[in-house]
Amino acid sequence: MEKLILTTALTGAITVPSQTPHLQYTIDGIADDAIACAEAGSTSVHIHARIPENGHPSSDPEIVKKIASRIKANCDAIVCITTGGGMGMTPQDRLRGAAICKPELASFNLGSMNFSMHPVAKWFKPEDWKFDWEKDYVEGTKDFIFRNTFGDMEIFAETMEKNNVKPEFEAYDLSHLHNLKFLEKSGIIKPPYWLQFVLGVLGGLVATPESLIAMVQTATNLFGNENFRWSVIGVGYPMEFNMAAMAIMMGGHVRVGLEDNLFVKRKVLAKNVDLVEKVKRIAAEFEREIATPDEAREMLGLKGLDAVDY
Ligand code: KMH
Ligand code: ZN
C-alpha cells in the first residue's frame, strides 16, 4: 500500500473557542500549531483564518496569507487553504484567500447542504461563552445552508484552474460524487482527483463503516480506481479514529484535527498534535508509513512551494 497522507485540519470555521482551550485563533497560534503538527509528521495542513482578537471565523485573505507564510517559513508541509469558509460568507468571500495565495491545494466543496452544530449550544450556560459572538453563531447553524451550487462550483473550478491550485474535493454525501461526475462530463473538472470523504457532519452522510465503503465504492464506479485517491474525515469522537483505522486498512488516507473532532479519548480534549500522534500509532500498528510532504506532492501531482504566492 502507498504511504499514508496525513492531513491536519487545525481550526475550521465551526469549532468555537468556548468548546476547547486548544483551539488556536491568532495568526501565530494557528501557524505554530500547524508547524508542530508538521514536525510530528503531518503531511498536509488545512487552514481557516480567524479574527485574532476574538476567534470569529474570517475570510480575510491578508490573515490567510500571514498564516500560510509563517507555516511555509518553518516547514515543508503542504498547505490546503479553505474555500469553505464559514457561516455568513459569500462564495466570493470564501475564494479570496485561495485566489490570492495560490496554494498547492484548496478545498472544493461538492454540493450544498445543511451544515449544523446547533445542538452543541445546549452544553453551555450563558456565562460559559468566552466571546459574545459564539452563542448566536452556534445556534445560527440551525438555519445555515452551506451553499455550493453548480454555478458556484463553476466559479471555484475556473478560479482554481486560473491560479494553478489543485482542488481537494470535499464530499459529504454520495450525491456529491455524482455532482463531481457531472462537472467532469461538462468538461469543467478533469481527473485525477484528490477526494476527502467528510463523514458525520449534521446535514451530511453519517460516519459509519457502511458509509465509507459506499463512498469508496461509488467513487470507484464513477471514476475508476486509477483516477482518484481518497482520504476520510470522521467528524467527532470516536468516529474520527474509527474512520481513520478503516482508511489505514483500506489503503486510503486520513484527516484529523480540531476542525472535525475535539477529543483524543472519551472526554479528553486534544491539541491538534495529540490527534496526529494517535493516528501515527494506529498507522504504525498496521505498518503503514506516513508520507512526507514531497512524497505526497509526487502522489498528488502538486506544483511545489516555489509556485505559491505567499
Ligand atoms: N466550515 C464548513 C462550513 C472547507 O474547508 O472547505 C466547511 C468547511 C469545508 O470548512
Ligand atoms: Zn475546512
Side-chain angles (χ1 to χ4, degrees):
M1 271 182 200
E2 66 183 7
K3 290 187 177 181
L4 180 72
I5 297 171
L6 175 48
T7 299
T8 309
L10 299 154
T11 65
I14 294 290
T15 305
V16 296
S18 298
Q19 288 181 274
T20 170
H22 302 308
L23 183 74
Q24 300 300 321
Y25 49 81
T26 63
I27 289 166
D28 289 1
I30 295 171
D32 293 350
D33 205 8
I35 294 157
C37 290
E39 286 168 355
S42 195
T43 315
S44 174
V45 289
H46 170 76
I47 62 172
H48 288 245
R50 298 286 180 122
I51 297 174
E53 292 70 30
N54 66 2
H56 190 286
S58 168
S59 62
D60 182 340
E62 286 315 308
I63 298 178
V64 175
K65 191 163 199 164
K66 286 176 183 160
I67 294 168
S69 302
R70 187 176 173 95
I71 294 169
K72 181 184 165 199
N74 290 280
C75 68
D76 69 341
I78 297 163
V79 172
C80 173
I81 293 179
T82 182
T83 67
M87 208 167 57
M89 298 180 196
T90 64
Q92 291 69 23
D93 289 341
R94 291 164 35 190
L95 256 179
R96 292 186 303 167
I100 288 172
C101 295
K102 301 177 177 48
E104 294 181 273
L105 278 179
S107 59
F108 184 123
N109 292 276
L110 285 169
S112 301
M113 62 190 282
N114 293 341
F115 200 115
S116 301
M117 64 174 286
H118 57 281
V120 165
K122 67 170 177 291
W123 298 116
F124 291 88
K125 296 192 289 301
E127 62 274 17
D128 291 340
W129 298 106
K130 201 168 175 182
F131 295 107
D132 58 7
W133 60 269
E134 291 182 75
K135 183 174 184 294
D136 291 349
Y137 191 89
V138 172
E139 289 176 346
T141 61
K142 187 187 287 188
D143 294 305
F144 175 43
I145 297 174
F146 184 34
R147 179 185 142 157
N148 298 287
T149 63
F150 284 107
D152 297 332
M153 289 194 276
E154 276 189 25
I155 294 166
F156 284 119
E158 283 157 15
T159 306
M160 290 188 191
E161 175 85 28
K162 187 173 71 178
N163 292 298
N164 192 13
V165 176
K166 183 177 177 74
E168 176 180 287
F169 292 108
E170 318 287 335
Y172 301 77
D173 209 330
L174 294 167
S175 60
H176 293 175
L177 298 173
H178 291 278
N179 290 351
L180 178 55
K181 191 64 184 177
F182 170 80
L183 295 174
E184 177 185 288
K185 286 181 173 173
S186 309
I188 294 164
I189 291 283
K190 54 184 183 299
Y193 303 130
W194 174 227
L195 304 178
Q196 279 288 1
F197 299 148
V198 188
L199 302 178
V201 170
L202 180 54
L205 194 58
V206 292
T208 61
E210 299 85 352
S211 296
L212 179 56
I213 289 167
M215 292 291 273
V216 175
Q217 198 54 59
T218 300
T220 304
N221 297 343
L222 287 172
F223 309 115
N225 247 333
E226 69 290 350
N227 284 316
F228 74 97
R229 282 185 170 82
W230 62 273
S231 175
V232 67
I233 300 158
V235 172
Y237 186 87
M239 287 68 76
E240 178 151 284
F241 299 106
N242 297 353
M243 296 295 103
M246 282 189 71
I248 288 163
M249 280 183 257
M250 295 167 67
H253 304 278
V254 174
R255 178 170 118 174
V256 295
L258 298 185
E259 171 163 348
D260 314 309
N261 164 52
L262 306 181
F263 299 93
V264 65
K265 282 184 178 174
R266 237 165 58 79
K267 297 186 179 172
V268 179
L269 287 170
K271 293 184 174 67
N272 277 306
V273 72
D274 301 325
L275 303 175
V276 171
E277 292 297 349
K278 181 156 179 169
V279 171
K280 281 166 62 181
R281 291 195 294 273
I282 298 169
E285 288 303 321
F286 286 94
E287 297 189 78
R288 186 92 192 268
E289 277 185 72
I290 311 291
T292 65
D294 281 346
E295 288 168 336
R297 288 185 172 97
E298 188 67 32
M299 292 155 74
L300 300 177
L302 300 185
K303 64 185 178 183
L305 282 174
D306 293 343
V308 302
D309 208 359
Y310 57 83

